[in-house]
Amino acid sequence: MELLILGVKVFVLFNIIMGLSSFCTWFERKGSALIQNRIGANRAGAYFTTSIAPLRPAFFVVRWLGILGVINTLLCDAVKALLKEDFVPEGTSTVMHALGPLLAVLPVFVAFAAIPMAPAFTIGGVTILPQVAPIDSGLLFILAMGSLAVYGVAMAGWTGNNKFSLLGGLRAAAQMVSYELAMGLCFVTAVVIFQTLDPYQMVRQQAGSIFNWGIFSQPLGFFILFIVGMAETKRGPFDLPESESELVAGYFTEYSGMKFLIFWLGEFAEIGLFSLLLAILFFGGWEIPFITLPEGLWWAALVGHGVLMGKVIALSMLQIIIRWTLPRFRFDQLMSLGWKVLLPLSMVNLMITAAVRLVIAQG
Amino acid sequence: MSVTIAILSVCMLISAVSVVAARSPIVSALALVGNLITVAAFYAAMNAHFLAAVQILVYAGAIVVLVLFVLMLLNVKGEAGKKSDFILRVGAAIIAGFFLLTVVPIWDGWLGLSNLSAPEGTVRAIGKLVYTDYVYCFEVASILILIAVVGAVTLGRRARIPNIASE
């Protein structure tokens, strides 16, 4: 029975990840079109009409999905990638080449396991915690998995067997390792505030008034973690590892077809992961301000999950909009931002937070 | 529980052997990562979740990344076909023997170590211990790390000073 519940949890979590990534893929394509004054992906399925009356509603839905670009970005692109030639460059082993996208995606997916997706609920006498791995030091686990994601891009860059790929991989590794420090310090600050490493307890403490939300006690922490998140996902103004004007496509230059798409899946899953973390640490997770959902009911859990996903989608959209708005940094600017601005800022933030916390605890 | 330990042990031995046996240094470094992760899984199986997370974060996520970084930057592919020296093999065998000598007493309980019970692995318990009973050890360790950081910065600067002087 326990194994069955765990299996269902993993299945649901996997679908949540894929759903989030699909949404990000779609919004990346359609949102970028809106930002750049293009009409964008709107052709596949756009002329899907029929003269048979009973089928019209279904065709109407499909047509609008096509006009909004959903069929183009989610269905056609995936089918196209599956049918493409799987190219492996000369001089590298096929296994090592395939290891790159695998190692880039796996840690991100595993990190999702420690994140609670909704409040606990009881159904048929069984209490279910919507979290695949309720680990005592959940935040640390997420940080550890995040640090493993470096291997995927580094391997991809190396197995590309050319200088552009290698440079992209090295840039990605340097960038991710540098920004991890500020990310860790932001997590420590959140731990000082909430006095726990368990994301579930953190959300619980932000219930009630909107001023219980982490963003009101940690505005600087949110700012730093948001920037670090954009750098860790190698996006936005920080997409130097794949800057096409210098490095062709960086570390995934030599990847084609589905392997190429898997890198993008990992990237979009990372956006979802960071948005989830930001929502849980700073925006109260599934808690609605001034409204208390009844404890332990399945529909309350469902509403909570919807609220959490709403916050996550808003944060993901913000990240994608910033990506399509700001120009790219130079690499030395990126490094000095990470080491000379964000790291000292997060240290100062931690010290001030700890001092205030101590004063509150003493008096 | 014992099944988990058995599977993990097999993974750990395979990865440990391939660290030594792999011809390509990159494969060797990746096998080391695999080995560190299985060690972390061991800790997690013993309910030491904090230790498991820190093991991955520090060793797999930071130290070996730098090793791999250097290996890729130098692109040490030429070494792949070379056979190792006889003297290195003898040295490795001697070190492995010494390691075995330290492991056997623990295994057989000669030192009484097998009677030790592991303290609670939660972050709260470890934090309390580190900042109360072992605070001096903790401070000494942090001073050691500080010395290492200062040393790294000094070594990094020394390379740059002649350049500035020559300009």
Side-chain angles (χ1 to χ4, degrees):
Chain A
M1 186 65 189
E2 243 170 50
L3 215 61
L4 185 75
I5 292 176
L6 191 66
V8 171
K9 273 187 199 172
V10 171
F11 179 75
V12 171
L13 180 69
F14 184 72
N15 280 297
I16 291 172
I17 300 172
M18 294 312 268
L20 270 177
S21 317
S22 306
F23 174 80
C24 287
T25 313
W26 171 74
F27 189 72
E28 167 103 349
R29 300 280 304 277
K30 201 65 188 173
S32 69
L34 287 174
I35 289 166
Q36 297 170 341
N37 275 336
R38 290 185 284 117
I39 301 168
N42 67 340
R43 289 304 160 97
Y47 301 103
F48 208 66
T49 51
T50 177
S51 54
I52 307 163
L55 288 177
R56 278 209 182 122
F59 273 57
F60 178 78
V61 171
V62 172
R63 193 160 67 240
W64 269 99
L65 285 179
I67 290 168
L68 291 173
V70 177
I71 293 178
N72 228 333
T73 53
L74 298 186
L75 196 67
C76 299
D77 276 1
V79 172
K80 183 183 79 176
L82 279 173
L83 293 176
K84 274 195 172 177
E85 184 197 350
D86 183 22
F87 175 77
V88 178
E90 228 172 84
T92 46
S93 86
T94 320
V95 180
M96 299 286 268
H97 189 69
L99 218 57
L102 184 70
L103 288 182
V105 164
L106 205 65
V108 184
F109 274 42
V110 173
F112 271 96
I115 295 181
M117 290 291 173
F121 60 97
T122 315
I123 194 159
V126 187
T127 305
I128 293 170
L129 188 68
Q131 185 179 5
V132 171
I135 309 170
D136 157 62
S137 45
L139 215 52
L140 210 60
F141 175 79
I142 296 165
L143 198 64
M145 285 303 136
S147 71
L148 285 184
V150 184
Y151 286 106
V153 289
M155 282 311 296
W158 182 70
T159 53
N161 208 12
N162 67 59
K163 292 204 167 58
F164 289 133
S165 289
L166 186 68
L167 270 176
L170 290 179
R171 274 186 180 187
Q175 176 176 337
M176 288 170 88
V177 169
S178 308
Y179 278 74
E180 239 158 48
L181 295 165
M183 178 166 79
L185 283 173
C186 281
F187 282 1
V188 173
T189 320
V191 170
V192 169
I193 292 278
F194 297 118
Q195 304 277 300
T196 174
L197 273 163
D198 185 3
Y200 192 84
Q201 299 302 325
M202 287 182 171
V203 175
R204 273 285 116 105
Q205 288 184 33
Q206 298 176 61
S209 161
I210 194 169
F211 296 107
N212 289 347
W213 281 12
I215 185 139
F216 290 101
S217 48
Q218 278 297 310
L220 190 61
F222 168 71
F223 185 66
I224 296 169
L225 196 61
F226 190 80
I227 296 174
V228 167
M230 298 210 51
E232 282 282 315
T233 49
K234 305 176 286 303
R235 288 178 58 82
F238 307 105
D239 56 348
L240 286 127
E242 46 175 284
S243 55
E244 53 283 274
S245 51
E246 305 156 29
L247 298 177
V248 189
Y251 55 89
F252 48 62
T253 305
E254 299 291 345
Y255 284 89
S256 64
M258 209 59 203
K259 283 182 191 161
F260 174 77
L261 273 202
I262 283 174
F263 276 113
W264 284 98
L265 173 66
E267 203 168 306
F268 288 125
E270 261 185 344
I271 296 177
L273 181 70
F274 261 100
S275 305
L276 261 170
L277 274 176
L278 288 170
I280 280 172
L281 291 180
F282 300 106
F283 293 99
W286 55 77
E287 302 287 355
I288 313 164
F290 306 114
I291 296 173
T292 316
L293 288 170
E295 287 278 328
L297 290 177
W298 64 269
W299 62 264
L302 214 59
V303 169
H305 181 66
V307 170
L308 177 64
M309 282 301 128
K311 290 170 184 173
V312 167
I313 282 174
L315 284 163
S316 307
M317 282 167 81
L318 185 62
Q319 289 188 43
I320 290 172
I321 289 170
I322 290 175
R323 187 241 155 116
W324 287 103
T325 311
L326 295 179
R328 193 174 287 143
F329 277 98
R330 259 190 354 250
F331 200 71
D332 61 317
Q333 289 174 329
L334 173 91
M335 280 294 144
S336 57
L337 178 71
W339 288 99
K340 294 180 189 163
V341 179
L342 291 182
L343 186 63
L345 258 184
S346 51
M347 275 179 182
V348 168
N349 189 31
L350 172 62
M351 281 174 188
I352 292 172
T353 311
V356 170
R357 184 83 215 181
L358 199 66
V359 167
I360 291 172
Q362 294 287 317
Chain B
M1 184 67 187
S2 57
V3 178
T4 323
I5 295 287
I7 295 170
L8 283 177
S9 310
V10 171
C11 293
M12 201 167 157
L13 283 176
I14 291 173
S15 55
V17 167
S18 42
V19 172
V20 189
R23 283 268 172 258
S24 156
I26 302 267
V27 177
S28 191
L30 278 180
L32 183 59
V33 177
N35 192 11
L36 291 168
I37 290 172
T38 43
V39 172
F42 251 113
Y43 292 148
M46 292 168 185
N47 277 329
H49 295 293
F50 176 74
L51 202 58
V54 168
Q55 164 93 3
I56 293 181
L57 194 61
V58 174
Y59 288 103
I63 292 175
V64 188
V65 167
L66 293 181
V67 172
L68 204 68
F69 196 92
V70 172
L71 284 177
M72 285 176 178
L73 202 62
L74 298 177
N75 209 5
V76 275
K77 264 185 200 162
E79 303 282 314
K82 247 189 204 170
K83 284 217 164 187
S84 54
D85 289 336
F86 177 72
I87 191 101
L88 282 178
R89 291 183 184 193
V90 171
I94 289 171
I95 289 168
F98 272 119
F99 185 68
L100 200 68
L101 276 180
T102 59
V103 167
V104 166
I106 296 170
W107 189 276
D108 280 356
W110 293 349
L111 301 176
L113 287 175
S114 54
N115 304 329
L116 286 178
S117 63
E120 223 182 329
T122 61
V123 183
R124 208 173 278 274
I126 290 176
K128 271 210 179 107
L129 277 179
V130 164
Y131 286 103
T132 53
D133 292 0
Y134 300 104
V135 68
Y136 293 110
C137 305
F138 179 73
E139 289 300 324
V140 168
S142 61
I143 287 169
L144 272 176
I145 292 171
L146 188 67
I147 291 169
V149 169
V150 172
V153 170
T154 325
L155 285 174
R157 281 181 66 85
R158 196 181 288 163
R160 217 184 280 163
I161 289 165
N163 283 342
I164 294 166
S166 66
E167 269 168 17

